[in-house]
Amino acid sequence: MSILKEFKEFAMRGNVIDLAVGVVIGASFGKIVTSAVNDLIMPPLGILVGGMDFKDLKMVLRRDVMDAEGKVADVTLNYGAFLQNVLDFIIIAFAIFLLVKLMNRLKRKKAEAPSTPPAPTKEEVLLTEIRDAIREQRKL
């Protein structure tokens, strides 16, 4: 079997396509959450802690270092950006947790409710026929 044929079979499986859709939706969801954190949550939080922007929090390790292009900049440890990303992750993880919890609850309810009543057993069918025959005899 050629590698190209194997790859085609792999790529056409339903799971791979589902995974690709999940990655695209997850990336979009990540952008929405990042925007919510940056634009809705962090500004009021920054005001509460004295008007600072968390993205600007950094520790200068060395001042005025010249890079390869001849630009002078500080070498910094940007812990504010790290805190921002940690908050993004926590919110995304919590939202996914709630979504999975909802999906599991819906699956459980669907599994608990039988879709159709079970078919009668042979004994029940025979007893029903006997009952109907007795009713017919009484009518005569």
Side-chain angles (χ1 to χ4, degrees):
M1 182 179 269
S2 72
I3 292 178
L4 187 59
K5 187 175 180 182
E6 285 182 60
F7 178 74
K8 183 179 176 184
E9 286 178 11
F10 171 77
M12 289 302 163
R13 286 186 187 156
N15 294 342
V16 174
I17 294 173
D18 292 344
L19 179 62
V21 169
V23 167
V24 170
I25 290 173
S28 299
F29 184 70
K31 289 179 183 180
I32 291 170
V33 171
T34 299
S35 175
V37 170
N38 292 340
D39 303 328
L40 301 175
I41 295 173
M42 294 311 278
L45 190 59
I47 291 171
L48 288 175
V49 294
M52 70 174 75
D53 187 6
F54 281 93
K55 288 183 260 182
D56 295 335
L57 294 175
K58 58 187 167 189
M59 182 184 345
V60 177
L61 300 175
R62 184 180 289 169
R63 294 209 177 271
D64 301 331
V65 176
M66 189 176 297
D67 63 4
E69 297 175 0
K71 296 179 183 175
V72 176
D74 295 337
V75 176
T76 60
L77 188 66
N78 300 322
Y79 64 91
F82 175 74
L83 290 175
Q84 184 86 23
N85 289 329
V86 168
L87 188 59
D88 285 353
F89 171 76
I90 290 170
I91 291 172
I92 290 171
F94 186 69
I96 290 173
F97 166 75
L98 291 177
L99 183 67
V100 169
K101 186 175 178 179
L102 176 69
M103 298 281 285
N104 287 340
R105 184 179 299 153
L106 292 175
K107 275 187 181 180
R108 231 178 294 131
K109 283 184 180 178
K110 188 176 180 181
E112 289 174 359
S115 58
T116 58
T121 63
K122 289 182 181 180
E123 291 84 13
E124 290 174 329
V125 171
L126 288 173
L127 288 172
T128 303
E129 289 175 3
I130 292 170
R131 179 197 66 202
D132 293 343
I134 291 173
R135 282 184 183 164
E136 286 297 319
Q137 284 181 351
R138 287 186 181 168
K139 286 182 183 177
L140 297 176

